Amino acid sequence: MALSKEQIAKRIAKEIKNNSYVNLGIGIPTLVANYIPEGVNVVLQSENGLLGMGPFPIEGSEDPDLINAGKQTITTLPGSATFDSALSFGMIRAQKVDLTILGAMEVSESGDIANWKIPGKMVKGMGGAMDLVASAKNIIVAMQQVNKSGESKLLAECTLPLTGVKCIKKIVTELGVYEILPEGGFQLLERAPGVSVEEIRTATAGKLIADENIPEMVF
């Protein structure tokens, strides 16, 4: 079975290292805050000016003054701090963020990412994505592997305007976990429970490197 958005976030949460600073992008990445493994100390950063995000609030306890970059209400943890976006982007550009988790519309087999604009459609702006992909020490993409028309979003080359070039290290989709190889290509590391390697090949338009003994994800 293909993973839900929550399961994608839960799998990515396993990638977070102890004592790290992590930025969560809009969409699926924001769900990662709910699945930080027990015993892992992490400081979550939001580019609108917040360090120390907790999980999403329980319904009825939301504070409208506490929001993330996607305008979702959030919780704070003891020791959290709020500040202006200039300081926040100073942290990002100074490479103080250890890991960035982003959503994407397309990722290429060489690690390019397109996640901010579809030509002809109105957008409010690129947000912090371009700063993040240019500055983060490590970048993981959380995304759906195929679009609503059933077309792959893991491509040989991106067709949409790029956010960053050769910057993505790892991708987690509803079908599998992939690593971008230095020479190019999506190396399949894990597959969603019950999903075959052949199904993943069909859903991958770019170069896929995989044998037939790929382990299933363990939650």
Side-chain angles (χ1 to χ4, degrees), residues 101-118:
I101 303 170
L102 292 172
M105 299 169 187
E106 295 177 345
V107 176
S108 79
E109 62 188 37
S110 59
D112 303 339
I113 179 174
N115 79 339
W116 77 279
K117 183 178 177 64
I118 297 176

Side-chain angles (χ1 to χ4, degrees), residues 35-179:
Y35 300 107
I36 303 299
E38 188 175 350
V40 173
N41 177 47
V42 59
V43 179
L44 299 179
Q45 193 249 19
S46 183
E47 65 260 32
N48 60 318
L50 177 65
L51 274 178
M53 286 189 294
F56 282 115
I58 298 171
E59 187 174 353
S61 65
E62 301 93 339
D63 183 343
D65 289 328
L66 292 176
I67 60 171
N68 61 22
K71 310 281 192 302
Q72 297 167 302
T73 54
I74 51 102
T75 61
T76 55
L77 300 174
S80 67
T82 57
F83 35 84
D84 62 30
S85 59
L87 181 57
S88 179
F89 277 88
M91 294 175 184
I92 293 168
R93 293 169 184 172
Q95 297 186 313
K96 302 298 184 183
V97 175
D98 300 301
L99 170 64
T100 289
I101 303 170
L102 292 172
M105 299 169 187
E106 295 177 345
V107 176
S108 79
E109 62 188 37
S110 59
D112 303 339
I113 179 174
N115 79 339
W116 77 279
K117 183 178 177 64
I118 297 176
K121 292 191 176 183
M122 182 181 293
V123 292
K124 296 179 180 179
M126 65 189 69
M130 289 189 179
D131 294 270
L132 288 162
V133 299
S135 306
K137 299 172 186 175
N138 186 20
I139 303 169
I140 298 176
V141 167
M143 66 184 294
Q144 300 288 337
Q145 188 157 333
V146 296
N147 61 25
K148 294 179 181 178
S149 301
E151 299 166 326
S152 177
K153 298 196 288 186
L154 300 184
L155 308 173
E157 294 184 1
C158 293
T159 63
L160 297 173
L162 294 182
T163 308
V165 175
K166 294 183 178 180
C167 56
I168 304 306
K169 308 297 184 185
K170 188 171 284 188
I171 306 159
V172 180
T173 77
E174 76 277 20
L175 300 180
V177 179
Y178 309 85
E179 186 175 41

Side-chain angles (χ1 to χ4, degrees), residues 8-39:
I8 293 174
K10 192 172 184 179
R11 173 59 186 82
I12 288 180
K14 295 173 66 175
E15 299 290 324
I16 296 176
K17 296 181 180 179
N18 195 38
N19 297 323
S20 60
Y21 288 83
V22 179
N23 178 281
L24 301 181
I26 296 170
I28 297 174
T30 61
L31 299 173
V32 173
N34 291 336
Y35 300 107
I36 303 299
E38 188 175 350

